[in-house]
Amino acid sequence: MKASADNSSSLNKALQKIFMNNEKFNHLPLPSPSFYSKDNEGSWFRSLFVHKVDPRKDAHSTLLSKKETSNLYKIQFHNVKPECLDAYNSLTEAVLPKLHLDEDYPCSLVGNWNTWYGEQDQAVHLWRFSGGYPALMDCMNKLKSNKEYLEFRKERSQMLLSRRNQLLLEFSFWNEPQPRAGPNIYELRTYKLKPGTMIEWGNNWARAIKYRQENQEAVGGFFSQIGELYVVHHLWAYKDLQSREETRNAAWRKRGWDENVYYTVPLVRHMESRIMIPLKISPLQ
């Protein structure tokens, strides 16, 4: 009996070591010691290597995005020469609202900001294309013959160090970004996830978002479709930095919020926070 117990103990220790050290399993919660009992050890060990797969024919975008809308979003990051930032903002504020208001262009401004804390001398623009990819292509084709916009791009190019963009879809469980009065500061939290974890991220946040609604701080949640993949952007609004601190601390006092953090942090490869100030033209003030 003693030899059998020793063997069982050795196996339990080996299983715990595998569970804790193998990257394949590090996103899973560590089972309690009682879970390693003799009755459970065989089925638990098999579960590590035999996966029950739920076959799906739907893409992640279909499962996670809003079904009732066909909105496509584009986020732009422009790194501006420091000495040109004021001129860049003035040029942007003179031209972009015309596209926003022109009904012939199926695009609208969601928000326009300068980064305050984070990457410096940076502008961030978020666009909505009502009608998905056809609306995006329609808009792009029309801009090719828009002389004012072409001149704008030529002048803007002299002010930039670099630029990049992504095409995004919005999570089905997040708020639809709507114009709001200010003054506010905005936080763009960007998460680069491990490939294959987007569904798990969405399932956890679909439950967790209810803990972050009391102060109307949740503006929008998006995931990338084109550009760098497995990227999530969460956009939050606060009155000021102190309000941000108090709101975030309040979430930790709500039962269930800690579980969301516990299960989603292991899915993240890299994360970044930007605090942003709206431009005059931004519908999100």
Side-chain angles (χ1 to χ4, degrees), residues 257-272:
W257 174 253
D258 57 339
E259 293 183 11
N260 173 65
V261 175
Y262 178 79
Y263 286 113
T264 56
V265 164
L267 311 179
V268 179
R269 300 175 65 182
H270 176 78
M271 59 189 296
E272 181 179 3

Side-chain angles (χ1 to χ4, degrees), residues 190-194 228 230 232 265 267-273:
T190 299
Y191 304 88
K192 298 179 181 180
L193 306 184
K194 297 176 181 178
E228 189 172 6
Y230 285 97
V232 170
V265 164
L267 311 179
V268 179
R269 300 175 65 182
H270 176 78
M271 59 189 296
E272 181 179 3
S273 170

Side-chain angles (χ1 to χ4, degrees), residues 51-67:
H51 299 281
K52 296 180 180 179
V53 178
D54 181 15
R56 292 187 182 275
K57 297 182 180 180
D58 295 321
H60 288 184
S61 59
T62 304
L63 296 171
L64 293 171
S65 60
K66 284 183 169 64
K67 304 296 189 298

Side-chain angles (χ1 to χ4, degrees), residues 3-158:
S4 177
D6 289 343
N7 290 338
S8 178
S9 176
S10 297
L11 178 58
N12 287 346
K13 291 179 180 179
L15 292 176
Q16 287 179 302
K17 185 175 181 180
I18 291 172
F19 196 93
M20 289 186 289
N21 295 338
N22 193 323
E23 183 178 351
K24 181 178 180 181
F25 311 124
N26 63 11
H27 69 286
L28 299 174
L30 185 65
S32 62
S34 63
F35 195 76
Y36 294 98
S37 67
K38 185 173 179 61
D39 292 338
N40 284 337
E41 67 185 25
S43 59
W44 180 79
F45 184 83
R46 286 194 299 271
S47 73
L48 296 180
F49 302 101
V50 180
H51 299 281
K52 296 180 180 179
V53 178
D54 181 15
R56 292 187 182 275
K57 297 182 180 180
D58 295 321
H60 288 184
S61 59
T62 304
L63 296 171
L64 293 171
S65 60
K66 284 183 169 64
K67 304 296 189 298
E68 65 274 16
T69 65
S70 57
N71 292 332
L72 180 70
Y73 291 81
K74 179 171 72 173
I75 191 167
Q76 300 173 300
F77 300 94
H78 291 173
N79 293 319
V80 185
K81 296 176 182 178
E83 68 274 16
C84 296
L85 186 59
D86 288 341
Y88 170 93
N89 288 340
S90 296
L91 182 65
T92 297
E93 291 169 348
V95 176
L96 295 190
K98 296 179 182 180
L99 296 178
H100 174 75
L101 296 172
D102 192 334
E103 295 183 357
D104 197 38
Y105 288 85
C107 63
S108 57
L109 292 174
V110 178
N112 311 80
W113 303 271
N114 285 152
T115 300
W116 183 22
Y117 285 101
E119 196 163 353
Q120 296 294 281
D121 304 308
Q122 185 180 70
V124 180
H125 305 287
L126 184 62
W127 293 87
R128 179 190 292 116
F129 295 88
S130 301
Y133 290 107
L136 172 69
M137 296 308 300
D138 182 31
C139 191
M140 290 179 62
N141 289 331
K142 288 176 179 176
L143 288 175
K144 292 178 181 178
S145 58
N146 185 322
K147 293 182 179 179
E148 183 180 16
Y149 184 77
L150 294 176
E151 185 61 31
F152 158 73
R153 288 197 57 174
K154 182 179 179 181
E155 187 175 352
R156 186 188 66 184
S157 67
Q158 305 302 313

